[in-house]
């Protein structure tokens, strides 16, 4: 999955864009279009250990009520805003639609707070299927393709772990 994040620091007015692409356990990172070698590991909830171009950083991530993230290192603080990953992929790659039967999985541990579809419903690519709350933020999980909802395996109020199958779109 690819993400685009805009961030700024309290000491700088400049807004920078980071493009993140996760390929298994490896992250590919570009800062304002320039690639960087990065190794990132979550060492505790909301705490990341990052090795960036040979330098080590510990970053604490705190979600804010407005949906932005506060990122703190030992010496600096940044405010980050995650731009919709679907919008990013659409701008750069033409919005390729998934093919075949798709299992929709929880991207992170949390709780299902709202089901937006039922079994048998027709859905469009990008249409919301359900909402998962994680770290006090609600995340709408969207369909990767046009099709129909074959199965809904989640229930409202159900806790989920990252990777749990929530529904199937065929």
């Amino acid at each position: 999955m690819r993400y685009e994040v805009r961030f700024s620091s309290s000491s700088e007015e400049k807004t920078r864009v980071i493009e993140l692409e996760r390929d298994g356990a490896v992250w590919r990172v570009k800062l304002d279009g320039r690639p960087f070698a990065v190794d990132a590991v979550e060492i505790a909830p909301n705490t990341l250990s990052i090795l960036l171009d040979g330098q080590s950083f510990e970053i604490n991530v705190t979600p804010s009520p407005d949906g932005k993230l506060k990122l703190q290192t030992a010496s600096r603080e940044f405010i980050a805003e995650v731009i919709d990953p679907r919008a990013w992929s659409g701008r750069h790659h033409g919005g390729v639609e998934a093919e075949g039967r798709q299992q929709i999985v929880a991207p992170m541990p949390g709780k299902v707070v709202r089901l937006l579809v039922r079994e048998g419903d027709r859905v469009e690519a990008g249409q919301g299927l359900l909402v998962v709350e994680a770290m006090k933020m609600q995340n709408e999980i969207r369909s990767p393709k046009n099709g129909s909802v074959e199965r809904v395996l989640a229930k409202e109020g159900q806790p989920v772990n990252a990777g749990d199958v929530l529904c199937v779109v065929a």
Side-chain angles (χ1 to χ4, degrees), residues 118-139:
R118 293 179 294 215
E119 288 182 10
D121 286 355
R122 295 281 311 154
V123 294
E124 301 287 323
Q127 179 179 336
L129 301 171
L130 52 105
V131 178
V132 174
E133 184 176 76
M135 298 186 302
K136 299 181 184 175
M137 294 178 62
Q138 292 192 356
N139 304 285

Side-chain angles (χ1 to χ4, degrees), residues 60-76:
N60 294 308
V61 181
T62 308
S64 64
D66 64 1
K68 295 184 180 181
L69 300 171
K70 183 166 74 169
L71 309 173
Q72 293 177 290
T73 66
S75 61
R76 298 190 70 188

Side-chain angles (χ1 to χ4, degrees), residues 16-19 27-39 51-54:
R16 315 276 307 264
V17 176
I18 298 177
E19 297 171 29
W27 285 92
R28 292 187 186 94
V29 177
K30 288 183 183 177
L31 174 61
D32 295 331
R34 183 175 154 225
F36 283 87
V38 174
D39 185 19
L51 189 59
L52 174 65
D53 278 348

Side-chain angles (χ1 to χ4, degrees), residues 71-89:
L71 309 173
Q72 293 177 290
T73 66
S75 61
R76 298 190 70 188
E77 183 176 296
F78 300 91
I79 301 298
E81 175 183 2
V82 178
I83 300 166
D84 190 319
R86 291 169 306 282
W88 187 91
S89 62

